[in-house]
Amino acid sequence: MDWLRDNAWEAWLGLAIVLGVAEMFSLDLILIMLAVGALAGMVTAAFDAHLVVQVLVAAGASIGALALVRPDLVKKFHSGPDLKLGHGKLVGQQGLVTEEVTALTHGRIKLGGEIWSAAPYDDTIAIAPGETVEVLQIKGATAYVHPIPRLDP
């Protein structure tokens, strides 16, 4: 027991290393927070604090890291950009009308480097060639579009 008391900081460091290695297998970000607490216990032991103080500091640091740091890290690691696949990624993009688009005759637009058949989202309008449109919906191989208003000087 004298060795542990004399080398407490080494025991805390060993515990932190073991917890850090175990975290690499679990990836839950729990064991790494406990390792942070063990490092806090190591620093306390380096200042020759009593064992009870070392344990309390280690527990406090672990609980603090689990409560304050881990939730933000988990949210950051689990979030990311939304992945849109297929034609869903074209919704909201702009295209150029190449053939007149009306409710009666579907026209054509150039969208994402490809030619798509297009129909007006609002059945009461006609869109002339050369107009810029926004894709509001895609059903099958038809893009439903709405013209983007221009500001004429």
Side-chain angles (χ1 to χ4, degrees):
M1 200 65 179
D2 289 335
W3 180 89
L4 186 60
R5 187 176 25 225
D6 294 338
N7 300 304
W9 72 272
E10 294 161 336
W12 284 110
L13 179 60
L15 179 62
I17 290 171
V18 168
L19 288 169
V21 169
E23 176 63 38
M24 288 192 281
F25 294 104
S26 72
L27 299 175
D28 285 335
L29 298 177
I30 292 174
L31 297 176
I32 197 71
M33 299 302 153
L34 297 178
V36 168
L39 290 175
M42 180 192 75
V43 170
T44 308
F47 289 113
D48 288 331
H50 194 270
L51 181 62
V52 173
V53 174
Q54 294 173 27
V55 170
L56 289 175
V57 168
S62 295
I63 291 171
L66 284 169
L68 301 175
V69 177
R70 185 179 179 274
D72 290 337
L73 284 177
V74 168
K75 186 188 306 180
K76 184 175 182 178
F77 288 146
H78 287 225
S79 67
D82 290 334
L83 182 61
K84 294 182 180 179
L85 298 174
H87 64 268
K89 66 182 177 183
L90 298 174
V91 174
Q93 292 198 4
Q94 295 181 3
L96 182 66
V97 177
T98 59
E99 291 179 21
E100 185 178 28
V101 177
T102 65
L104 298 175
T105 59
H106 291 204
R108 303 249 183 251
I109 63 169
K110 185 167 186 169
L111 176 65
E114 299 176 343
I115 301 294
W116 281 74
S117 66
Y121 192 75
D122 181 3
D123 291 338
T124 62
I125 62 172
I127 308 168
E131 292 286 324
T132 303
V133 293
E134 180 181 2
V135 177
L136 300 179
Q137 183 179 23
I138 294 183
K139 289 184 184 175
T142 304
Y144 288 84
V145 296
H146 192 74
I148 296 176
R150 280 195 245 175
L151 296 175
D152 290 327

